Amino acid sequence: MGIPLGCEGLKLLPEDFYLQDAARAAPQLLGKTLVHDTPAGRLSGTIVEAEAYLSRDDPGCHAARGETRRNASMFRAGGAAYVYLIYGIYHCFNVVTGREGQGEAVLIRALAPREGISLMAQNRGRRDLRSLCSGPGKLCRAFGIDLRLNGHNLREGPLYILEGEEVRDITTTTRVGLNRGRDKLLRYYVTGSPFISRP
DNA sequence: GGTGGGATTAGCT
DNA sequence: GCTAATCCCACCA
């Protein structure tokens, strides 16, 4: 897939997009553009890897045991951001999908950096382009995403998702790093992308 | 009020 | 391959 530099002319993802089930939305999020307008400049990247977390029959999902203070934004209507802290140090960024109260989301696991690469490198403290956003914790650090953006509406600034490239070849595998719900084939990535979190 | 674990990462062996 | 880093919060008492 080609990588255009700017986001000019790209439209916001429509509200309807977010009302789909996570398992449908996740592969369709590949190729879309995540943008964060920060005081230090604009950061953007193309989504190349995502995982779906379902509301029903998915013990790997944070929402599996019902709504708590921590996962509350996961129960919002599709289009909200669900951000949480993991292992005390890293953040994970999810796109909430489905109806209000459904409790589904798509974890964004990797991006191909587009705009603001030098700022991302500064945020990450390292330069290698391929590993700048090649993991859920890495991309949050590169993009400056933290708990302040938990519950944020992704159809508004400063953090939003635009249309992007059509992706032709998608690989589907099991999800990464889970203790429960390992068997489900709910991880999707752009086949051959050098920017995914692992092969 | 105390405790244990986690959708990760980097650095070392 | 192994493990420390580090902290919110769910859960149990």
Side-chain angles (χ1 to χ4, degrees):
Chain A
M1 79 192 246
I3 302 178
L5 284 177
C7 307
E8 304 82 19
L10 296 179
K11 295 175 184 168
L12 272 179
L13 275 195
E15 192 171 13
D16 286 357
F17 182 95
Y18 297 103
L19 299 181
Q20 308 177 88
D21 293 341
R24 282 178 168 274
Q28 292 182 67
L29 276 167
L30 300 183
K32 302 295 189 285
T33 309
L34 179 68
V35 183
H36 190 194
D37 286 319
T38 76
R42 166 172 290 188
L43 301 165
S44 72
T46 304
I47 298 170
V48 295
E49 179 180 345
E51 287 178 354
Y53 287 86
L54 310 182
S55 57
R56 293 178 182 281
D57 197 29
D58 183 6
C61 179
H62 284 179
R65 292 181 190 178
E67 183 171 344
T68 65
R69 191 158 80 239
R70 173 192 172 122
N71 67 18
S73 55
M74 215 175 175
F75 288 85
R76 304 266 293 273
Y82 169 43
V83 181
Y84 65 90
L85 186 66
I86 184 112
Y87 302 116
I89 2 187
Y90 297 103
H91 295 276
C92 288
F93 167 66
N94 296 252
V95 176
V96 178
T97 65
R99 303 176 311 277
E100 184 172 359
Q102 193 166 344
E104 294 201 347
V106 177
L107 171 69
I108 305 304
R109 287 192 55 89
L111 303 167
R114 192 182 289 185
E115 295 167 291
I117 289 171
S118 60
L119 180 53
M120 291 182 202
Q122 198 176 312
N123 289 342
R124 288 266 293 122
R126 53 196 65 230
R127 307 268 304 274
D128 179 50
L129 182 66
R130 290 157 81 103
S131 58
L132 222 42
C133 300
S134 59
K138 295 180 193 176
L139 72 89
C140 283
R141 187 153 296 176
F143 269 62
I145 295 173
D146 60 27
L147 289 176
R148 289 173 295 184
L149 287 163
N150 186 29
H152 173 76
N153 179 353
L154 292 170
R155 302 194 68 241
E156 299 174 350
L159 184 68
Y160 47 95
I161 301 178
L162 304 176
E163 298 285 359
E165 296 275 294
E166 178 161 355
V167 175
R168 296 211 173 94
D169 197 353
I170 295 174
T171 302
T172 304
T173 69
T174 54
R175 294 175 293 185
V176 174
L178 299 191
N179 285 324
R180 290 180 267 210
R182 283 181 183 169
D183 49 320
K184 297 179 186 300
L185 294 169
L186 291 172
R187 175 180 177 233
Y188 307 89
Y189 62 85
V190 177
T191 306
S193 170
F195 298 105
I196 63 172
S197 66
R198 54 173 77 177

